[in-house]
Structures are given as structure tokens and as C-alpha cells.
Amino acid sequence: MKNKNLLFILTGFTVAGLLILLQVLFIVREGDAAVVTTFGKPTRDLTEAGPYFRWPWPIQRVYRFDQRTQCFEGPYEQILTRDGKNLLISLYVGWRIMEPTPFLERVGSMEQAERNLEGLLRNYTSATLGQHPFSALVNVHAEALRFLSIEEEIKQAVQNEAETRYGIHVEYLGIRRIGLPESITTRVFERMRAERTELSERYASEGESEALRIRAEADSEREQTLARADAEAKRIRAEGEAMAAEAYRIFAEDPKLAVFLRKLDVMQDVLTNRTTLILGTDSAPFDLLQGPLDLEP
Amino acid sequence: MTTPEQQPNSPARADDAGRQALADALRVSFRLLTLAIIILGIAYLLSGVFSVREHERAYVLLLGRIAGIADDRIKEPGLHWTLPKPFSEIVRVPAERIQNMEINTQWFFEQPGLPPEEQASPSGNALTPDRDGYVLTGDANIIHIRWGLRYTIRDPERFIFYHDDPVMTLQKEMDRAAMLVAHRWPVDRLLRTDIEAYRAEVDQALQARMNELALGIHVHRLDLLAVVPPRQTAYAFDAVIEAEQDRSRNISAARAYAARARNEAQGEASRILSASRAARQRIISEASADADLFQSVLPVYRDHPAMLAETLRQDRLRAILPRAKQHIAIRKRDDGSQDVRIMIGPSPTH
């Protein structure tokens, strides 16, 4: 019986203790920050997670904030570059609550923080880009680009003001989109089409002239090859003729016989197949047709 | 005596019995309550058991703080126990799962539910800033790109407790990296010649920035799913491709012609050369044959010139005559008239 009472008493105390604890104990969760106010005046900044004590309401109140880095993107808005070009640009910023007390006093809520940041982004983006030409953002010559330094410049400016005024730390900042106003896109398309047409025509004429060049080169090469071969052939033939002339030297021994033999050859060469041969019967062997021959010596 | 004594006593006895019964009942209820408290207590303590699935990692927030030290902070898959609520909270992270993300912020607006061929007709001649996404190129052209990302959560603690929405940041970083690189590239390299190099450079820019921001995310793979010129200019881009193909077709036809011409010329040249070599040989052999003949007949000729000449002439005629189509022999008579004899067709014996 005593033991049982003890159990009940203990249970009672535990429950009562828990109820009281809930009034005076509060938890700051990992990733959160809190400010404790005493009669409305901020008295304690809590940026570490864990359990903390406080006086019960209405003496002390706890304001909790998400202390993780928030990613906020500003609106996609039109700005003017130094050379008077209209651009659409949007930036995003990663921010976190650095000091909860100034944040509570000067900002109060995450939504308000984003509204404030939006204002800062707008101011410093247009101020910074107003000092740079469009070609610092978009350029095939990488050395003329100032993209990263422009980002850094805006980040520094936003960070300084956010820290001193709102207790907000800017972790990162980036340009997310750069575009052109709607009416300008149609002009860009016109230019793009014109550039493409020019390119098409260039390719077409390049193809034709290159093909012509290759053909002409090939033709001239062929002529040269054939001319060389002809010259070589003449040389070879002349060589043969020179050697033949050497052989003919022997004809000098009896030129009459040489001429006669040559005549025989020529006659044989000239009278090829299917010629019509007209001979007088006074020439051999047709002299036989004329009657008896006088074979007497 | 006993009766009257008992009479006042009987309600008292009944009271005793009632008290007894009440005490019994109370005792039973006490016991039941004790049991209930103990069971509830055990159940309460058991409610602190939790399991971590195979693709997850978990953290226990004990009184708001991450429980455990060093590696013990991350709870691996399996069964775990912690003090139940309100003392602790379990935070789960799908750390081991590879996540896919498609990024269409640089793509033109597509009407939901319409097939691609109908999408292809441009709704208007312009791009609407809030609706159509695109990227400018270094030579101030406009292109549309679609990206695919595969990532895992590498540092769950940073992912969960340091950043509010790291995946959204990753998306914006992706847009930024793609734009940053495109802004210094000419459109032809981006669309045609160097797509993979562009992807690699964007990947590099993104990785560098991810390391800097430490979102707790690791990007495994960046895929360039599509890169196209605006629909409003697509036909002009196609025309360039066609012109380029025409060019290479023209050039390769010319090259083929050149190769053919070269081969033919070489063939012709070697034909000419071998013909001339043959001619040389023929001239030489004929000359030497002539010389031989001359030399062989010369002694006979010196002795009987007329006989040899006539014999040679007749031999030749014999060789020639059968080859002739027609032989016409004309005899001149003494009176001046002529006698013509025609032999048609060579005699078959010759």
C-alpha cells in the first residue's frame, strides 16, 4: 500500500513537473534561432540549438526564426545598361538571419525580410548595371565579360546594407536570368534570320567555287600528265629511230638494193586487205595472160 | 442479548462489509491503474523505437539538438531507439537515393496536353518574358535549352539544417551556370559544333559553384537534353544546314571527279608510254630485220641483180595478190584497144 501511494505521488509530481517545465522550458531546434523578450524588450539572442529556461508569460516571450539559409529570387524586371539597352534580369540571393535581435526589431518576419531584400536587389542591380554596357554581360570575347565582377559588386552592396540594417547575412547571390523585352525579341529573330540567310548563301557559293577549283585543278593536272607522257613517248620513239638509223648504216654498201628492198616493203604495206588492184598485163605475173612467153635466153 | 446487541451492529457490520468491498474494489482499481500506468509507461518508452529505411539517413533531435557525436549523429538504416516526444524528434533524409530533375526554365512555353508537332507552331512572333524561357548567346542570339540533373544528398546535415530549400538553389544555380557559359559562346558552337564541350563547361561552372555554396548536394551528372534555336527562326537554321550539306556534296562530287580524272590521265599516260616503247622496239627490230635481209641478199645480188630483183618482186606479189578484193588486169592490144579481165574474190586456195 505504501509503495502504491509512492508510485501515485511520483506520477503526480512528474505530471505536475512536466506541466511547469512546459511553462518555463523551451527548445530551440537545430537550424532555428530565437529571441527572448522580457516585457517586450529583447534580452537574449539564442542561435545555438538546445533547451533553454524562461520566465512564464507574460514576463518573457520567445520569438523563433528559421535560421537556415533561405533562397529568395527577385522579380524579373527591366533595367537599363550604360549604353541604353533594355534588359530583363532576375537575381537570387541566399540569406540567413545573422543576429536575431536586430532582425526581430527591424524586420520581424521572413516575408518582410524578403520584401526588404527585393528592394535592395532592385536598387543595386540597376545601379550596378547602369555602369556597365550590355557587352559586359553578353560577349563572345570572354575577356570583355564582367559577369562575375558585376555579380560580386551587387552582392557586396546588398550584403553591406542587409547586415547593418536588417541583421541579415547574404551567403550567395547570382544572376538567374537575363532576357530581352518582348518587342526586342522579334527584332533579334529578324537579325538571326538575316544572319542565317547570309550564312546559307556563303556556304552555297563556297561550295560552288571550291568544287570549280577542284575540277579545274584536276583538269590541269590531267593535261600536264598527258603532256609529260607525250614528251616521254616522243623521246622513246626518237631513241628507237636513232638505233634504227644505226642499223641502216649497212645500206651504204649498195644503196640501189636498199631502195629496192624498201620499195617492196612499202608496196606490201600499202596494199592491205580488200583493195582493188589494177595491173597491166605487161607486168608480171599477168604477162602470162598475153600468150606464150619467149623463154629463150 | 445478542439479538438487540446485534441489531445496532448489523448496519455496522453491513458498513464493514461495504467498506471491505469498496476497499477491495479500490485495491483492484489501484492495481489496474498501476498496471495501466506501467503499460502506458512501457508503451511510451517503446514509442521511441524507429526504423531507418535503406535509402534514408536520419537525425535525432534531442531537446532540439542533434543527438550523438561525430559519426554517431547520422543514424544508419536499421532499428533505433530514442526518448519519445516531446523530448526528441526524428528527421529523415533520402540521402542514398539518386534524384532526377529536369530543368525547363530555359525552354519555350509549351501548351500542356498538346502533341509536339502542334507545339512546334510558334504562338506568336515574340517570346513572352514570363512564359518563355531562353538563353542569350555571346553573339546575341536566342536559344532554348533543356537540362537533366542527377544528384544525391552528400551532406545530409548541411542539406537539412543549414539550407532551407537547397534543391531550389540548385535549380537556380543550374540556370546561372548555363547562362554564364552561353553568354560567351557563339550560337553555332552551342547549337552544332561543340554541344558536348558546352555541356562540360557548364558542368564545371556548376560544380565549382556547388563546392563554394556547400548545399550538401552532389551533382553526379548533367545532361543537355535539348538545345534548339527559337521556333520563329528554325527554318532559317535548317536552311543553313541544308546549304552546308549542299556545299559538302558539291565538294565531294568535285573530289570524285578529280580522282577519276587523275586516274584516267595516269592510265592514258602509261598507255602512251607503253605504246611508244612498243613502237621503239618495232622500229629497232624492223631496222635490224631489214639490215639482216639486206646483208643476206647482198652477195647474190652482186652476182645476179636482175634475177634476184625479179624473184623478190614476184614473191611479194604472191603474198599481196590474194589479199586484194578484186584484181583487174588490163591488156593493151597492139591496135590500142584494151582487154579488161576481172577476178572477183580471192581464190580460196590462197
Side-chain angles (χ1 to χ4, degrees), chain B residues 177-224:
Chain B
M179 177 182 68
L180 179 66
V181 181
H183 276 199
R184 56 174 185 253
W185 279 49
V187 67
D188 283 302
R189 281 183 74 196
L190 273 165
L191 280 178
R192 308 261 320 277
T193 54
D194 263 340
I195 296 176
E196 171 53 27
Y198 170 64
R199 190 208 65 79
E201 210 172 311
V202 172
D203 196 4
Q204 206 182 343
L206 180 66
Q207 297 286 3
R209 188 78 169 175
M210 293 302 282
N211 290 340
E212 202 181 304
L213 301 193
L215 298 175
I217 292 175
H218 174 66
V219 175
H220 287 278
R221 228 194 120 63
L222 172 63
D223 289 311
L224 209 167

Short mmCIF file of all heavy atoms in Angstrom, two decimals, chain B residues 177-224:
data_model
loop_
_atom_site.label_atom_id
_atom_site.label_comp_id
_atom_site.label_asym_id
_atom_site.label_seq_id
_atom_site.Cartn_x
_atom_site.Cartn_y
_atom_site.Cartn_z
N ALA B 177 24.63 28.81 -64.32
CA ALA B 177 25.82 28.24 -64.97
C ALA B 177 25.59 28.14 -66.48
O ALA B 177 26.48 28.49 -67.27
CB ALA B 177 26.13 26.87 -64.38
N ALA B 178 24.39 27.68 -66.87
CA ALA B 178 24.09 27.52 -68.30
C ALA B 178 24.15 28.88 -69.00
O ALA B 178 24.68 28.99 -70.10
CB ALA B 178 22.71 26.91 -68.47
N MET B 179 23.63 29.90 -68.30
CA MET B 179 23.60 31.24 -68.89
C MET B 179 25.03 31.82 -68.94
O MET B 179 25.45 32.36 -69.95
CB MET B 179 22.71 32.12 -68.04
CG MET B 179 22.66 33.55 -68.49
SD MET B 179 21.63 34.52 -67.40
CE MET B 179 22.60 34.48 -65.91
N LEU B 180 25.74 31.66 -67.86
CA LEU B 180 27.09 32.21 -67.74
C LEU B 180 27.98 31.74 -68.90
O LEU B 180 28.71 32.52 -69.49
CB LEU B 180 27.67 31.75 -66.40
CG LEU B 180 29.08 32.17 -66.03
CD1 LEU B 180 29.13 33.66 -65.85
CD2 LEU B 180 29.51 31.47 -64.74
N VAL B 181 27.91 30.45 -69.20
CA VAL B 181 28.75 29.92 -70.27
C VAL B 181 28.20 30.32 -71.65
O VAL B 181 28.96 30.72 -72.53
CB VAL B 181 28.88 28.39 -70.15
CG1 VAL B 181 29.77 27.85 -71.26
CG2 VAL B 181 29.47 28.01 -68.80
N ALA B 182 26.86 30.25 -71.80
CA ALA B 182 26.27 30.59 -73.10
C ALA B 182 26.56 32.03 -73.49
O ALA B 182 26.73 32.33 -74.66
CB ALA B 182 24.75 30.36 -73.06
N HIS B 183 26.67 32.89 -72.48
CA HIS B 183 26.90 34.31 -72.77
C HIS B 183 28.26 34.59 -73.40
O HIS B 183 28.52 35.69 -73.83
CB HIS B 183 26.77 35.13 -71.48
CG HIS B 183 25.36 35.49 -71.18
ND1 HIS B 183 25.00 36.49 -70.32
CD2 HIS B 183 24.21 34.96 -71.65
CE1 HIS B 183 23.69 36.57 -70.26
NE2 HIS B 183 23.20 35.64 -71.05
N ARG B 184 29.15 33.61 -73.41
CA ARG B 184 30.43 33.84 -74.07
C ARG B 184 30.67 32.90 -75.25
O ARG B 184 31.75 32.86 -75.80
CB ARG B 184 31.58 33.79 -73.06
CG ARG B 184 31.68 32.51 -72.27
CD ARG B 184 32.94 32.55 -71.42
NE ARG B 184 33.12 31.31 -70.74
CZ ARG B 184 32.92 31.13 -69.43
NH1 ARG B 184 32.53 32.12 -68.67
NH2 ARG B 184 33.12 29.95 -68.88
N TRP B 185 29.64 32.15 -75.62
CA TRP B 185 29.78 31.23 -76.75
C TRP B 185 28.98 31.72 -77.94
O TRP B 185 27.85 32.15 -77.77
CB TRP B 185 29.28 29.84 -76.35
CG TRP B 185 30.25 29.04 -75.58
CD1 TRP B 185 30.95 29.46 -74.48
CD2 TRP B 185 30.64 27.70 -75.83
NE1 TRP B 185 31.75 28.44 -74.04
CE2 TRP B 185 31.57 27.35 -74.85
CE3 TRP B 185 30.29 26.75 -76.78
CZ2 TRP B 185 32.17 26.11 -74.80
CZ3 TRP B 185 30.87 25.51 -76.74
CH2 TRP B 185 31.81 25.19 -75.75
N PRO B 186 29.52 31.57 -79.16
CA PRO B 186 28.71 31.90 -80.34
C PRO B 186 27.66 30.81 -80.60
O PRO B 186 27.85 29.66 -80.20
CB PRO B 186 29.74 31.94 -81.47
CG PRO B 186 30.88 31.12 -80.99
CD PRO B 186 30.90 31.21 -79.51
N VAL B 187 26.60 31.21 -81.25
CA VAL B 187 25.44 30.32 -81.39
C VAL B 187 25.78 29.05 -82.17
O VAL B 187 25.26 27.98 -81.86
CB VAL B 187 24.26 31.08 -82.02
CG1 VAL B 187 24.53 31.46 -83.45
CG2 VAL B 187 22.99 30.28 -81.91
N ASP B 188 26.68 29.15 -83.14
CA ASP B 188 26.96 27.96 -83.96
C ASP B 188 27.65 26.87 -83.15
O ASP B 188 27.38 25.69 -83.32
CB ASP B 188 27.84 28.33 -85.16
CG ASP B 188 27.01 29.00 -86.23
OD1 ASP B 188 26.05 28.36 -86.69
OD2 ASP B 188 27.29 30.15 -86.57
N ARG B 189 28.56 27.28 -82.27
CA ARG B 189 29.22 26.27 -81.42
C ARG B 189 28.21 25.64 -80.48
O ARG B 189 28.25 24.43 -80.23
CB ARG B 189 30.33 26.93 -80.60
CG ARG B 189 31.60 27.17 -81.40
CD ARG B 189 32.68 27.75 -80.52
NE ARG B 189 33.24 26.75 -79.62
CZ ARG B 189 33.97 27.05 -78.55
NH1 ARG B 189 34.20 28.32 -78.25
NH2 ARG B 189 34.46 26.12 -77.78
N LEU B 190 27.32 26.46 -79.96
CA LEU B 190 26.34 25.96 -79.00
C LEU B 190 25.35 24.99 -79.62
O LEU B 190 24.97 23.99 -79.01
CB LEU B 190 25.54 27.14 -78.45
CG LEU B 190 26.14 27.84 -77.27
CD1 LEU B 190 25.46 29.16 -77.06
CD2 LEU B 190 25.92 26.96 -76.05
N LEU B 191 24.93 25.32 -80.84
CA LEU B 191 23.86 24.53 -81.43
C LEU B 191 24.38 23.35 -82.23
O LEU B 191 23.69 22.36 -82.40
CB LEU B 191 23.04 25.39 -82.39
CG LEU B 191 22.00 26.30 -81.77
CD1 LEU B 191 21.33 27.11 -82.85
CD2 LEU B 191 20.96 25.49 -81.03
N ARG B 192 25.61 23.46 -82.74
CA ARG B 192 26.01 22.46 -83.71
C ARG B 192 27.34 21.81 -83.40
O ARG B 192 27.41 20.61 -83.20
CB ARG B 192 26.12 23.11 -85.10
CG ARG B 192 24.91 23.89 -85.54
CD ARG B 192 24.05 23.07 -86.46
NE ARG B 192 24.86 22.31 -87.38
CZ ARG B 192 25.35 22.79 -88.50
NH1 ARG B 192 25.10 24.01 -88.85
NH2 ARG B 192 26.07 22.02 -89.28
N THR B 193 28.39 22.63 -83.37
CA THR B 193 29.71 22.01 -83.44
C THR B 193 30.25 21.55 -82.10
O THR B 193 31.02 20.61 -82.04
CB THR B 193 30.71 22.98 -84.09
OG1 THR B 193 30.67 24.22 -83.37
CG2 THR B 193 30.34 23.25 -85.53
N ASP B 194 29.85 22.19 -81.01
CA ASP B 194 30.53 21.94 -79.74
C ASP B 194 29.59 21.69 -78.58
O ASP B 194 29.86 22.11 -77.46
CB ASP B 194 31.42 23.15 -79.41
CG ASP B 194 32.84 22.92 -79.83
OD1 ASP B 194 33.20 21.75 -80.01
OD2 ASP B 194 33.58 23.89 -79.97
N ILE B 195 28.50 20.99 -78.85
CA ILE B 195 27.47 20.84 -77.82
C ILE B 195 28.05 20.18 -76.57
O ILE B 195 27.82 20.63 -75.46
CB ILE B 195 26.28 20.03 -78.38
CG1 ILE B 195 25.63 20.80 -79.52
CG2 ILE B 195 25.27 19.75 -77.29
CD1 ILE B 195 24.52 20.09 -80.21
N GLU B 196 28.85 19.14 -76.77
CA GLU B 196 29.38 18.41 -75.62
C GLU B 196 30.36 19.28 -74.82
O GLU B 196 30.37 19.26 -73.60
CB GLU B 196 30.02 17.10 -76.10
CG GLU B 196 30.81 16.33 -75.04
CD GLU B 196 30.02 16.06 -73.76
OE1 GLU B 196 28.78 15.98 -73.81
OE2 GLU B 196 30.67 15.95 -72.71
N ALA B 197 31.15 20.07 -75.54
CA ALA B 197 32.09 20.95 -74.84
C ALA B 197 31.33 21.99 -74.02
O ALA B 197 31.73 22.33 -72.90
CB ALA B 197 33.00 21.64 -75.85
N TYR B 198 30.22 22.44 -74.55
CA TYR B 198 29.39 23.41 -73.82
C TYR B 198 28.86 22.76 -72.54
O TYR B 198 28.96 23.31 -71.45
CB TYR B 198 28.25 23.89 -74.71
CG TYR B 198 27.20 24.69 -73.97
CD1 TYR B 198 27.53 25.92 -73.40
CD2 TYR B 198 25.91 24.22 -73.80
CE1 TYR B 198 26.59 26.65 -72.70
CE2 TYR B 198 24.96 24.94 -73.11
CZ TYR B 198 25.31 26.16 -72.56
OH TYR B 198 24.39 26.88 -71.84
N ARG B 199 28.32 21.55 -72.70
CA ARG B 199 27.79 20.83 -71.54
C ARG B 199 28.87 20.67 -70.47
O ARG B 199 28.65 20.91 -69.29
CB ARG B 199 27.26 19.46 -71.96
CG ARG B 199 26.49 18.73 -70.88
CD ARG B 199 26.59 17.23 -71.05
NE ARG B 199 27.94 16.76 -70.86
CZ ARG B 199 28.51 16.58 -69.67
NH1 ARG B 199 27.83 16.80 -68.57
NH2 ARG B 199 29.76 16.18 -69.58
N ALA B 200 30.08 20.30 -70.92
CA ALA B 200 31.17 20.07 -69.97
C ALA B 200 31.54 21.36 -69.25
O ALA B 200 31.81 21.35 -68.05
CB ALA B 200 32.37 19.50 -70.71
N GLU B 201 31.53 22.46 -69.98
CA GLU B 201 31.91 23.72 -69.35
C GLU B 201 30.86 24.17 -68.34
O GLU B 201 31.19 24.70 -67.27
CB GLU B 201 32.13 24.79 -70.43
CG GLU B 201 33.17 25.82 -70.01
CD GLU B 201 33.55 26.77 -71.12
OE1 GLU B 201 33.86 26.29 -72.22
OE2 GLU B 201 33.53 27.99 -70.88
N VAL B 202 29.59 23.94 -68.68
CA VAL B 202 28.51 24.29 -67.75
C VAL B 202 28.64 23.42 -66.49
O VAL B 202 28.51 23.90 -65.36
CB VAL B 202 27.13 24.10 -68.41
CG1 VAL B 202 26.01 24.26 -67.38
CG2 VAL B 202 26.94 25.10 -69.53
N ASP B 203 28.92 22.15 -66.72
CA ASP B 203 29.08 21.19 -65.63
C ASP B 203 30.18 21.68 -64.68
O ASP B 203 30.00 21.72 -63.45
CB ASP B 203 29.45 19.83 -66.22
CG ASP B 203 29.26 18.70 -65.21
OD1 ASP B 203 28.77 19.00 -64.10
OD2 ASP B 203 29.58 17.55 -65.53
N GLN B 204 31.27 22.09 -65.27
CA GLN B 204 32.41 22.57 -64.49
C GLN B 204 32.03 23.82 -63.69
O GLN B 204 32.33 23.90 -62.49
CB GLN B 204 33.52 22.91 -65.47
CG GLN B 204 34.90 22.81 -64.91
CD GLN B 204 35.92 23.21 -65.96
OE1 GLN B 204 35.61 23.26 -67.16
NE2 GLN B 204 37.10 23.51 -65.53
N ALA B 205 31.35 24.75 -64.35
CA ALA B 205 30.95 26.01 -63.68
C ALA B 205 30.00 25.69 -62.52
O ALA B 205 30.11 26.26 -61.43
CB ALA B 205 30.28 26.94 -64.68
N LEU B 206 29.09 24.74 -62.77
CA LEU B 206 28.12 24.38 -61.74
C LEU B 206 28.81 23.71 -60.55
O LEU B 206 28.56 24.04 -59.39
CB LEU B 206 27.06 23.44 -62.34
CG LEU B 206 25.98 22.96 -61.39
CD1 LEU B 206 25.10 24.12 -60.94
CD2 LEU B 206 25.11 21.89 -62.04
N GLN B 207 29.72 22.77 -60.85
CA GLN B 207 30.42 22.05 -59.77
C GLN B 207 31.22 23.02 -58.90
O GLN B 207 31.22 22.91 -57.68
CB GLN B 207 31.36 20.99 -60.34
CG GLN B 207 30.67 19.89 -61.12
CD GLN B 207 29.93 18.90 -60.25
OE1 GLN B 207 29.87 19.07 -59.02
NE2 GLN B 207 29.33 17.91 -60.86
N ALA B 208 31.90 23.96 -59.56
CA ALA B 208 32.72 24.92 -58.82
C ALA B 208 31.84 25.69 -57.85
O ALA B 208 32.18 25.88 -56.67
CB ALA B 208 33.40 25.87 -59.80
N ARG B 209 30.69 26.11 -58.33
CA ARG B 209 29.79 26.91 -57.52
C ARG B 209 29.15 26.05 -56.42
O ARG B 209 28.95 26.51 -55.30
CB ARG B 209 28.75 27.47 -58.47
CG ARG B 209 27.83 28.46 -57.92
CD ARG B 209 28.34 29.85 -57.76
NE ARG B 209 27.15 30.63 -57.45
CZ ARG B 209 27.10 31.88 -57.13
NH1 ARG B 209 28.21 32.57 -57.05
NH2 ARG B 209 25.97 32.47 -56.87
N MET B 210 28.89 24.79 -56.71
CA MET B 210 28.30 23.90 -55.71
C MET B 210 29.28 23.69 -54.56
O MET B 210 28.89 23.62 -53.40
CB MET B 210 27.94 22.54 -56.32
CG MET B 210 26.83 22.58 -57.33
SD MET B 210 25.31 23.27 -56.69
CE MET B 210 24.72 21.88 -55.78
N ASN B 211 30.56 23.58 -54.91
CA ASN B 211 31.57 23.44 -53.86
C ASN B 211 31.61 24.68 -52.99
O ASN B 211 31.75 24.58 -51.76
CB ASN B 211 32.96 23.23 -54.48
CG ASN B 211 33.07 21.87 -55.12
OD1 ASN B 211 32.29 20.96 -54.80
ND2 ASN B 211 34.00 21.71 -56.04
N GLU B 212 31.47 25.83 -53.62
CA GLU B 212 31.53 27.09 -52.91
C GLU B 212 30.33 27.24 -51.96
O GLU B 212 30.49 27.65 -50.81
CB GLU B 212 31.50 28.20 -53.96
CG GLU B 212 32.05 29.53 -53.54
CD GLU B 212 31.90 30.49 -54.72
OE1 GLU B 212 32.41 30.18 -55.82
OE2 GLU B 212 31.23 31.52 -54.54
N LEU B 213 29.15 26.89 -52.43
CA LEU B 213 27.93 27.11 -51.63
C LEU B 213 27.71 26.02 -50.58
O LEU B 213 27.00 26.25 -49.62
CB LEU B 213 26.69 27.16 -52.52
CG LEU B 213 26.64 28.23 -53.61
CD1 LEU B 213 25.23 28.34 -54.15
CD2 LEU B 213 27.08 29.57 -53.09
N ALA B 214 28.30 24.85 -50.79
CA ALA B 214 28.14 23.72 -49.86
C ALA B 214 26.69 23.49 -49.48
O ALA B 214 26.29 23.62 -48.33
CB ALA B 214 29.00 23.94 -48.61
N LEU B 215 25.89 23.15 -50.50
CA LEU B 215 24.46 22.89 -50.25
C LEU B 215 24.25 21.50 -49.68
O LEU B 215 23.14 21.15 -49.28
CB LEU B 215 23.67 22.99 -51.57
CG LEU B 215 23.69 24.34 -52.28
CD1 LEU B 215 22.97 24.23 -53.62
CD2 LEU B 215 23.01 25.40 -51.43
N GLY B 216 25.31 20.68 -49.67
CA GLY B 216 25.17 19.30 -49.21
C GLY B 216 24.69 18.39 -50.32
O GLY B 216 24.34 17.25 -50.09
N ILE B 217 24.71 18.94 -51.57
CA ILE B 217 24.23 18.16 -52.72
C ILE B 217 25.42 17.83 -53.60
O ILE B 217 26.30 18.66 -53.79
CB ILE B 217 23.22 18.99 -53.55
CG1 ILE B 217 21.95 19.19 -52.76
CG2 ILE B 217 22.93 18.31 -54.89
CD1 ILE B 217 20.95 20.08 -53.43
N HIS B 218 25.45 16.60 -54.11
CA HIS B 218 26.48 16.25 -55.08
C HIS B 218 25.81 16.00 -56.42
O HIS B 218 24.92 15.16 -56.52
CB HIS B 218 27.25 15.02 -54.63
CG HIS B 218 28.22 14.55 -55.66
ND1 HIS B 218 29.31 15.30 -56.02
CD2 HIS B 218 28.23 13.45 -56.43
CE1 HIS B 218 29.98 14.65 -56.97
NE2 HIS B 218 29.34 13.53 -57.23
N VAL B 219 26.23 16.72 -57.45
CA VAL B 219 25.67 16.52 -58.79
C VAL B 219 26.48 15.45 -59.48
O VAL B 219 27.68 15.59 -59.69
CB VAL B 219 25.70 17.83 -59.60
CG1 VAL B 219 25.22 17.58 -61.02
CG2 VAL B 219 24.84 18.88 -58.94
N HIS B 220 25.83 14.33 -59.81
CA HIS B 220 26.53 13.22 -60.46
C HIS B 220 26.66 13.46 -61.94
O HIS B 220 27.67 13.17 -62.54
CB HIS B 220 25.74 11.93 -60.28
CG HIS B 220 25.82 11.41 -58.91
ND1 HIS B 220 26.86 10.67 -58.47
CD2 HIS B 220 24.98 11.54 -57.87
CE1 HIS B 220 26.67 10.37 -57.20
NE2 HIS B 220 25.54 10.89 -56.81
N ARG B 221 25.58 13.94 -62.52
CA ARG B 221 25.55 14.02 -63.98
C ARG B 221 24.70 15.17 -64.42
O ARG B 221 23.62 15.40 -63.87
CB ARG B 221 24.94 12.73 -64.52
CG ARG B 221 25.76 12.15 -65.63
CD ARG B 221 25.02 11.10 -66.37
NE ARG B 221 24.92 11.56 -67.75
CZ ARG B 221 25.97 11.76 -68.53
NH1 ARG B 221 27.19 11.54 -68.10
NH2 ARG B 221 25.82 12.19 -69.76
N LEU B 222 25.21 15.85 -65.41
CA LEU B 222 24.45 16.94 -66.00
C LEU B 222 24.24 16.56 -67.46
O LEU B 222 25.20 16.31 -68.17
CB LEU B 222 25.26 18.23 -65.88
CG LEU B 222 24.70 19.43 -66.60
CD1 LEU B 222 23.36 19.81 -66.03
CD2 LEU B 222 25.65 20.59 -66.48
N ASP B 223 22.99 16.49 -67.88
CA ASP B 223 22.71 16.14 -69.27
C ASP B 223 22.08 17.30 -69.99
O ASP B 223 21.15 17.93 -69.46
CB ASP B 223 21.74 14.95 -69.33
CG ASP B 223 22.41 13.67 -68.90
OD1 ASP B 223 23.49 13.39 -69.40
OD2 ASP B 223 21.84 12.97 -68.04
N LEU B 224 22.58 17.54 -71.19
CA LEU B 224 21.95 18.55 -72.03
C LEU B 224 20.90 17.80 -72.86
O LEU B 224 21.25 17.09 -73.78
CB LEU B 224 23.01 19.18 -72.92
CG LEU B 224 22.78 20.61 -73.35
CD1 LEU B 224 24.04 21.17 -73.95
CD2 LEU B 224 21.65 20.74 -74.29
#
